[in-house]
Amino acid sequence: MERTKIIETKEKAGKKVSISGWVTTVRDHGQIAFIMLKDRSAYVQCVLNGGLKEPVGEGYVLEIVGEVKERPEKMRNDKIPTGNVEIEVESYKVLNMSKDLPMPLNTDGKNINEEVRLKYRYLDLRRDRMQKILKLRSDYIAAVREELKKREFIEIETPMLTKATKEGARDFIVPSRFNPGKFYALPQSPQQYKQLMMTAGIERYFQFARCIRDEDLRADRGYEHTQIDLEMSFMNQKEVMQTVEDIIKGAVSAVGGRIKEDPFPVINYKEAMEKYGADKFDLRTEEEKKNNVLAFAWVVNFPFFKKVDAGDEAEKRDGKSGWVFTHNPFSSPIPEHLEWHMKGENIGEIVTAQYDLVCNGLEAGGGSIRAHNPEVLKQTFRIMGYSEEEIQESVGHMLEAFELGTPPHGGIGMGLDRQIMLLAGEDSLKETIAFPMTATGKTAVMDAPSPIGKKDLETLHLDVTDKGGSMVDRIKETLDSLGMVYKYMEHEEVRTSEEAAKIRGVDLSTGAKAMVIKSKEYEGKYIMVVIPADRQLDLEKVKNQLEEEFEIAPAKEVEQYTGLKLGSIPPFARLLKMDLYFDKAMYDKETVAFNCGLRTASIIMKGSDLIKAANPDKKSEKLEFAQ
């Protein structure tokens, strides 16, 4: 007998059907039993007169044959689409049994530990909420693709094994077995390939591209993401922005999303900074936030370059001269500033033809009109301190293409995961991805990253000399690279701030106490707050200052997240992939002391140097967390 989807049973009263799915609840009253069965389409109640013939439990997979019966008016269930009917079971077959489920599936899952949810992600995805999000994602991709096809865009896949690029983050690298000592890089984006498509005469390219970046993890960012990637030839900035806007409006409308303003507001970068204090802002009213309205806006006229942040390794690597690009080195300056650019004058005032799409306080996409003239691209790298040889090594293939008839072009990359997060009204990207990583960069379900065997290392011509590196060495390397003076001391094991101060021979108030706290609103989110060691953390002040409720993270979770023992945590949260805040009192310390990853090692240094090296959130100087 052909299988019937459960949702179709509501129109089949009086007919015999075969349905299959998962048991969500069982009520066995002896002579009569009730099973709630779920498939991808809906739930339906199944009635077994005479009771269960063989054991059935939650999570079991069943095939049920029976007659669809209209339910009496007073017994209808308005909470489910099939609430007007039930299945009078003639027979059932257990297709597979289930052990006791490791977590309940009848809630939204947000109150369940992230580690458990991701370990059993294949179960977590059975939740109604998760299935709705995955369907929304699929429908939105289809809608975007349809909008692009209408406009004659061509979908093209680009390589996953490629060369390291200058895109503002660290690369994940892959060793080459056939080329010992050489490595591929996984793509941070298809940036260079899509520009080369313009040289190839494609004119309108798109791809739902997998992008992989070794950057700090947080609720709205992960190691890998899917990008709606576009590039267009023979179009100016206004035309590119209008095309993108029309695509987004069409796709959002197709999945039932609501947009605040049409057309999208266009705001100058300087105006945004003056008015909102950031280039990512939320234009919604409180009522619109409750109704999940999407407030898109464009931000334009960004500075092309900025001074290198000494605490950002990627910026230090890319900006050899002390200047680094703000968004994309392949962008073009606006025409009015082309002369400054080519002469290397007024570098901090050069404006780029960059446009960011923001929505509800987050960046939804970023793009630019590109430098298709090879001399303009060369000059960008010269400004950043690259020699002619280094320029050829880095982008020589692009320069050669630009000498072979590359047309004017521009494009954009838009984060699909983030757009789904906004459409679904979620707070974390992880809720929009089938198998996301944990907050510490571990894969869902499978145990990665994990060691590989000696033979595999030999095959790849690799040798692991420092398995993970030590926190002590990483901190010392950071301080040395910044030319800072500090005292490193090894001592007996200490577990408290008082013990540490005594053995260091300094006052307790000198200590920098690094506290790892856990969000009560977003699962898997940890941050670090650093306060003077002679004071206590006030969680109420944290809540008021950061507008989010936190609790002290349990010792076991801290050790799992950081790989470090309590009492050894250093105030270098950036090295531990966490956001970092300092109590304002730390800014007045002439000297500070702290454990540096071991309970048996400490560093004593100038307070101002610690702030520079640790790089806490810029607003920390005004925040008070201690009592």
Side-chain angles (χ1 to χ4, degrees):
M1 190 174 186
E2 185 177 346
R3 180 189 175 202
T4 298
K5 285 195 301 181
I6 286 177
I7 191 66
E8 295 170 351
T9 61
K10 65 180 182 177
E11 307 295 339
K12 292 184 178 289
K15 295 182 179 180
K16 187 175 181 179
V17 298
S18 172
I19 59 175
S20 300
W22 291 265
V23 175
T24 61
T25 58
V26 179
R27 291 177 291 138
D28 187 0
H29 302 294
Q31 290 305 305
I32 189 170
F34 300 90
I35 291 174
M36 187 66 77
L37 200 72
K38 170 191 179 181
D39 69 5
R40 73 180 189 276
S41 66
Y43 295 79
V44 71
Q45 178 170 278
C46 304
V47 183
L48 295 91
N49 293 309
L52 295 170
K53 304 303 181 186
E54 60 178 302
V56 171
E58 183 183 1
Y60 275 51
V61 186
L62 301 186
E63 178 184 83
I64 291 177
V65 175
E67 184 179 343
V68 181
K69 297 279 192 178
E70 286 277 0
R71 298 176 74 169
E73 188 73 33
K74 292 182 179 179
M75 298 181 68
R76 293 187 174 186
N77 183 354
D78 295 333
K79 294 180 180 179
I80 58 175
T82 63
N84 63 311
V85 298
E86 60 188 14
I87 310 298
E88 189 174 275
V89 178
E90 295 180 6
S91 65
Y92 68 91
K93 182 193 296 185
V94 176
L95 301 177
N96 208 344
M97 295 184 293
S98 174
K99 296 189 294 185
D100 290 343
L101 298 180
M103 59 182 169
L105 301 180
N106 60 351
T107 68
D108 65 12
K110 291 186 177 182
N111 62 337
I112 298 172
N113 180 274
E114 178 191 83
E115 186 178 346
V116 174
R117 285 185 65 196
L118 295 188
K119 180 179 179 180
Y120 299 100
R121 186 62 163 185
Y122 44 84
L123 292 179
D124 194 52
L125 292 175
R126 280 191 206 164
R127 299 179 194 283
D128 293 346
R129 180 175 68 88
M130 298 305 298
Q131 299 220 339
K132 286 177 184 176
I133 292 172
L134 289 183
K135 187 173 187 308
L136 171 64
R137 183 185 180 104
S138 177
D139 291 346
Y140 188 68
I141 288 172
V144 171
R145 182 175 275 116
E146 179 62 27
E147 292 292 328
L148 289 162
K149 289 293 186 183
K150 281 187 208 173
R151 294 166 175 82
E152 300 182 1
F153 280 77
I154 298 175
E155 187 168 7
I156 299 172
E157 296 174 338
T158 53
M160 290 297 291
L161 292 175
T162 184
K163 186 175 181 176
T165 58
K166 308 296 179 187
E167 298 190 41
R170 291 177 291 271
D171 292 294
F172 278 98
I173 60 171
V174 179
S176 170
R177 179 167 60 91
F178 287 112
N179 298 276
K182 294 187 178 180
F183 299 83
Y184 301 102
L186 300 178
Q188 293 187 35
S189 82
Q191 180 67 45
Q192 296 186 37
Y193 286 111
K194 70 177 180 178
Q195 288 191 247
L196 295 173
M197 287 295 173
M198 302 303 101
T199 309
I202 299 301
E203 292 195 26
R204 293 193 170 197
Y205 142 96
F206 84 95
Q207 179 182 186
F208 292 94
R210 299 294 291 158
C211 302
I212 303 170
R213 301 176 180 182
D214 185 6
E215 56 187 357
D216 294 347
L217 302 172
R218 62 190 190 203
D220 68 333
R221 187 170 70 188
Y223 283 151
E224 51 183 323
H225 68 275
T226 302
Q227 182 166 295
I228 306 170
D229 203 50
L230 315 180
E231 201 74 13
M232 299 155 244
S233 292
F234 305 112
M235 296 179 76
N236 60 33
Q237 180 171 330
K238 184 176 180 181
E239 291 168 333
V240 172
M241 290 167 60
Q242 187 61 57
T243 300
V244 172
E245 183 170 326
D246 290 343
I247 290 165
I248 292 298
K249 287 187 291 194
V252 169
S253 175
V255 297
R258 296 173 57 194
I259 291 176
K260 178 180 172 71
E261 291 186 63
D262 181 8
F264 299 166
V266 180
I267 299 173
N268 189 287
Y269 168 76
K270 285 187 177 179
E271 179 190 347
M273 296 304 291
E274 291 170 1
K275 190 172 182 179
Y276 305 109
D279 56 5
K280 294 177 278 291
F281 41 83
D282 195 340
L283 297 176
R284 296 173 298 170
T285 64
E286 290 304 315
E287 185 64 26
E288 288 168 336
K289 289 178 182 179
K290 291 177 185 176
N291 294 323
N292 200 34
V293 173
L294 303 183
F296 285 99
W298 290 104
V299 181
V300 298
N301 294 330
F302 288 88
F304 200 149
F305 300 98
K306 67 173 184 175
K307 286 291 188 180
V308 167
D309 181 347
D312 189 312
E313 291 300 322
E315 285 191 13
K316 287 195 296 182
R317 181 192 65 229
D318 291 340
K320 301 171 186 289
S321 66
W323 289 102
V324 69
F325 56 86
T326 60
H327 285 75
N328 186 328
F330 300 101
S331 300
S332 175
I334 60 173
E336 300 92 318
H337 291 176
L338 181 59
E339 184 176 352
W340 283 355
H341 185 83
M342 297 308 294
K343 290 182 178 180
E345 298 175 347
N346 305 311
I347 294 171
E349 299 175 39
I350 298 171
V351 172
T352 179
Q354 170 81 25
Y355 35 85
D356 277 7
L357 184 62
V358 300
C359 182
N360 297 5
L362 298 172
E363 181 183 333
S368 68
I369 298 301
R370 320 301 186 188
H372 68 284
N373 181 318
E375 292 305 316
V376 175
L377 182 58
K378 280 183 187 177
Q379 182 57 22
T380 299
F381 281 83
R382 290 187 189 114
I383 287 172
M384 295 192 298
Y386 285 71
S387 67
E388 296 303 311
E389 183 179 352
E390 289 172 326
I391 293 172
Q392 285 298 321
E393 170 64 21
S394 183
V395 292
H397 53 286
M398 298 288 287
L399 298 172
E400 185 175 12
F402 289 175
E403 293 171 346
L404 296 170
T406 299
H409 59 281
I412 195 168
M414 296 178 286
L416 173 67
D417 309 320
R418 195 170 289 175
Q419 289 190 20
I420 301 302
M421 181 179 80
L422 292 168
L423 281 164
E426 295 289 343
D427 298 314
S428 172
L429 288 178
K430 294 174 188 177
E431 305 297 337
T432 74
I433 300 169
F435 293 97
M437 288 189 173
T438 69
T440 55
K442 294 182 179 178
T443 58
V445 184
M446 300 182 185
D447 183 25
S450 56
I452 62 173
K454 185 177 180 181
K455 286 187 177 180
D456 289 329
L457 288 171
E458 289 173 353
T459 300
L460 295 169
H461 314 284
L462 296 176
D463 182 24
V464 179
T465 58
D466 184 359
K467 297 181 180 178
S470 76
M471 181 57 64
V472 173
D473 290 339
R474 292 171 69 191
I475 292 173
K476 289 168 73 175
E477 286 169 8
T478 299
L479 300 180
D480 290 340
S481 70
L482 297 171
M484 292 178 173
V485 177
Y486 60 93
K487 178 183 178 182
Y488 170 73
M489 59 185 297
E490 296 182 354
H491 47 69
E492 294 176 6
E493 181 172 303
V494 294
R495 292 175 177 267
T496 67
S497 297
E498 290 77 10
E499 290 176 0
K502 184 177 180 180
I503 206 164
R504 293 171 190 150
V506 297
D507 189 84
L508 179 60
S509 64
T510 302
K513 184 159 58 176
M515 306 286 293
V516 178
I517 57 177
K518 174 183 177 182
S519 174
K520 296 179 75 171
E521 299 178 25
Y522 305 116
E523 283 196 40
K525 178 180 178 181
Y526 299 87
I527 69 169
M528 181 182 290
V529 174
V530 178
I531 62 174
D534 61 340
R535 298 175 66 183
Q536 300 299 313
L537 184 66
D538 187 328
L539 289 171
E540 192 61 29
K541 288 184 178 179
V542 173
K543 178 182 177 181
N544 293 335
Q545 300 280 2
L546 301 184
E547 298 181 344
E548 186 176 338
E549 193 169 2
F550 288 86
E551 61 185 351
I552 302 295
K556 185 176 180 181
E557 289 185 28
V558 173
E559 291 177 9
Q560 287 178 340
Y561 190 95
T562 65
L564 302 173
K565 298 289 185 182
L566 279 189
S568 73
I569 310 293
F572 283 77
R574 307 297 186 191
L575 297 179
L576 297 167
K577 312 299 184 187
M578 276 187 284
D579 288 342
L580 174 64
Y581 297 87
F582 273 34
D583 183 280
K584 67 179 184 180
M586 295 301 301
Y587 288 75
D588 299 325
K589 302 290 183 184
E590 289 188 13
T591 303
V592 290
F594 52 89
N595 281 77
C596 49
L598 296 171
R599 290 172 174 166
T600 56
S602 294
I603 284 177
I604 302 174
M605 62 186 296
K606 288 173 61 176
S608 57
D609 280 352
L610 172 62
I611 290 167
K612 183 179 179 182
N615 190 28
D617 188 281
K618 298 292 188 290
K619 60 188 177 189
S620 291
E621 197 167 0
K622 299 179 181 179
L623 302 179
E624 184 176 1
F625 304 109
Q627 60 180 10

